Amino acid sequence: MTDAEKSSRLPGFFRLSADERLDAVSKFSGVPRRELVALESPDGLPQSVASCMSENVVGRYSLPVAFATNFRVNTQDYIVPMVIEEPSVVAAASFAARLLRAGPGITATSTAPIMIGQIHFPEPPPEPVLENVIEEQREVLERVLNRNHPRLIAAGGGYRGARVRRLVDPKGRPLAVVHIHVDVRDAMGANAVNSMAEAAAPLLEDWTGCRVGLRILSNLPIHRRVKVEGRVALKEGGGTHAIDPAEAARIVEASWFAETDPYRAVTANKGIMNGIDAVLLATGQDFRAVEAAAHAFAAYEGRYTALAQWRIEDDHLVGRMDIPLALGTVGGVTKVHPAVRANFKVLGLTEAQPFSELVAAVGLAQNLAATRALASEGIQRGHMRLHARNFAMQAGASETEVPQVVAAMLAQGRHDQAAADLALLQLRGEAQD
Ligand code: MEV
């Protein structure tokens, strides 16, 4: 199957057993089942590997890994690995991805992977000493900073220049920061940038005679951005690939609410991050860095606002999002964690830019699904139905009893713990009359 022929529309995927789903994942991706064992095995992360990933390790901690279907981004179909404990996120992503798959699907563009390293001067030289030094010593800086990164340079990345920022602290004292810009190619980039910032510091101290404070990556990668756009045709009554105009109008209204009110914006953005973080966990990314950047970016203009916006344009509901994403397809645990390796194989992505574009597309789809549900029936009905499984498990139901308990709860129209407890007792014939 060529990439162009692949369809991530896998109707009925959710009805399959876990084993059958993994067969479908293998068939879609062309990755043999034996290379996906880490996804199904409770020992997906061997203790020997886990012990090398952190300190004082005593074991491993598991979460569900699922695949969202229907994704089409820049004409390419994907099934997307997501690791998340919250029910309904994967179903919601798949639902919205189906709405957004017409034509090229979700379209995305991204900038070059430029990261920022900060070199802090607590007692800075007067202006323009630092500014001049950076200009005059441009070639030396480039040579010294690139020296220890031959692989990055060979891949086309490396030091891309510096600028000085002059600030005043809350007590009115001046401070300065040199930002070094580094093209980190397919890495998240923290290691390369931190070591370059540390290498630049003694040179700058020498040239200015001023002491350097911190030397560290900035987790606000303002130059490393992804823009995504998704479109759904308007059609009376909606449908699989269309949305009812009245429903679309309520989504736009909800978008304005989130764009206006930080209390709503943070919740809408949390929904976006439900999708993004789930893919990041499945692919071994530094999700804390991405979270920090996303929320800082949402407040970048001085007021916290929604990351995504929805409008009606040319008979379509159109969503757009601009987000900084520092992701890597190399480095970190990408080649070390067996489940992460398997997930990247299924995605078929080896470069950070298309990977970031896909991740942003999942965030936008997640936002559409949540906003559509909130602007119509609300999220609780669907959410609680999925949550019924958790209630059934908490009641003590075995794997075979869970579906029966859930069915009994749904028949009664109740989705709470007491209903699950009673349904289980009734199933086992233990209920008191
Ligand atoms: C819940 O995890 C996420 C939502 O609150 C997002 C939103 O309100 O847009 C449903």
Side-chain angles (χ1 to χ4, degrees):
M1 196 167 21
T2 68
D3 277 355
E5 288 162 353
K6 271 189 193 174
S7 173
S8 59
R9 280 280 292 123
L10 302 174
F13 185 73
F14 69 97
R15 283 199 203 92
L16 303 177
S17 67
D19 190 53
E20 291 166 332
R21 283 187 200 125
L22 214 48
D23 272 341
V25 168
S26 164
K27 190 158 166 241
F28 170 86
S29 60
V31 180
R33 268 294 291 256
R34 66 175 183 282
E35 293 185 34
L36 300 177
V37 284
L39 299 181
E40 57 180 334
S41 156
D43 199 28
L45 176 63
Q47 180 69 41
S48 53
V49 179
S51 292
C52 296
M53 285 168 66
S54 179
E55 305 75 39
N56 300 356
V57 172
V58 297
R60 281 72 47 86
Y61 177 97
S62 298
L63 283 170
V65 50
F67 280 87
T69 57
N70 299 329
F71 273 90
R72 188 166 173 76
V73 180
N74 292 340
T75 74
Q76 193 71 48
D77 273 40
Y78 297 95
I79 53 173
V80 183
M82 298 177 84
V83 167
I84 188 156
E85 86 301 344
E86 181 174 329
S88 82
V89 169
V90 177
S94 306
F95 168 82
R98 198 178 64 190
L99 284 177
L100 293 163
R101 34 181 299 116
I106 299 171
T107 52
T109 53
S110 52
T111 58
I114 303 289
M115 297 293 284
I116 296 170
Q118 294 198 292
I119 300 148
H120 159 223
F121 287 82
E123 292 154 7
E127 231 174 310
V129 173
L130 254 180
E131 290 78 356
N132 287 349
V133 150
I134 279 179
E135 199 43 43
E136 286 154 15
Q137 302 289 351
R138 203 151 33 121
E139 282 170 18
V140 179
L141 269 174
E142 180 166 354
R143 187 160 27 84
V144 174
L145 299 199
N146 282 343
R147 196 163 50 198
N148 293 326
H149 304 276
R151 292 237 301 262
L152 181 60
I153 309 307
Y159 176 70
R160 291 288 184 269
R163 64 176 282 241
V164 181
R165 293 173 57 238
R166 299 258 171 196
L167 305 170
V168 178
D169 82 4
K171 293 207 155 179
R173 294 168 301 201
L175 61 93
V177 196
V178 172
H179 276 195
I180 55 167
H181 293 172
V182 185
D183 184 328
V184 296
R185 295 286 90 203
D186 294 318
M188 184 273 188
N191 280 333
V193 173
N194 286 337
S195 58
M196 284 195 192
E198 289 187 9
L203 295 178
L204 293 169
E205 282 185 332
D206 240 29
W207 294 329
T208 61
C210 288
R211 180 177 64 85
V212 161
L214 309 189
R215 303 90 88 211
I216 182 73
L217 163 95
S218 167
N219 278 123
L220 180 53
I222 198 72
H223 308 295
R224 193 177 188 180
R225 300 253 284 278
V226 181
K227 284 189 179 162
V228 271
E229 180 178 308
R231 304 169 77 82
V232 193
L234 301 185
K235 192 175 126 219
E236 221 53 58
T240 325
H241 302 294
I243 193 154
D244 184 77
E247 197 166 67
R250 286 197 297 272
I251 290 171
V252 173
E253 187 180 80
S255 177
W256 281 114
F257 175 22
E259 288 168 57
T260 309
D261 177 13
Y263 286 88
R264 170 60 203 148
V266 79
T267 319
N269 292 344
K270 187 273 182 184
I272 291 169
M273 300 316 288
N274 274 346
I276 290 184
D277 283 344
V279 187
L280 301 188
L281 275 169
T283 53
Q285 305 295 309
D286 184 343
F287 57 92
R288 289 86 56 205
V290 174
E291 278 279 345
H295 295 290
F297 185 64
Y300 198 63
E301 303 291 337
R303 187 177 62 84
Y304 189 94
T305 187
L307 287 165
Q309 303 82 35
W310 294 90
R311 301 285 183 268
I312 291 177
E313 292 171 13
D314 310 326
D315 286 332
H316 283 76
L317 174 68
V318 182
R320 295 191 178 89
M321 183 169 71
D322 180 2
I323 188 167
L325 283 175
L327 309 183
T329 51
V330 297
V333 298
T334 53
K335 302 284 182 289
V336 175
H337 194 302
V340 168
R341 276 208 314 260
N343 284 333
F344 267 119
K345 277 203 175 134
V346 171
L347 285 174
L349 291 171
T350 52
E351 292 174 8
Q353 272 186 258
F355 173 52
S356 305
E357 290 165 5
L358 174 67
V359 168
V362 175
L364 186 71
Q366 205 74 51
N367 183 240
L368 173 60
T371 313
R372 193 205 66 92
L374 289 166
S376 51
E377 62 172 19
I379 56 163
Q380 278 315 86
R381 207 157 68 101
H383 191 81
M384 292 319 282
R385 194 184 317 189
L386 290 168
H387 211 70
R389 292 192 301 230
N390 283 351
F391 287 131
M393 283 189 289
Q394 280 176 53
S398 68
E399 200 180 334
T400 48
E401 287 168 330
V402 167
Q404 299 173 64
V405 171
V406 170
M409 291 167 73
L410 293 181
Q412 289 170 20
R414 284 185 58 193
H415 310 111
D416 51 61
Q417 190 59 57
D421 294 342
L422 183 63
L424 183 62
L425 288 174
Q426 283 170 338
L427 180 67
R428 291 177 177 171
E430 293 167 5
Q432 307 278 324
D433 285 333

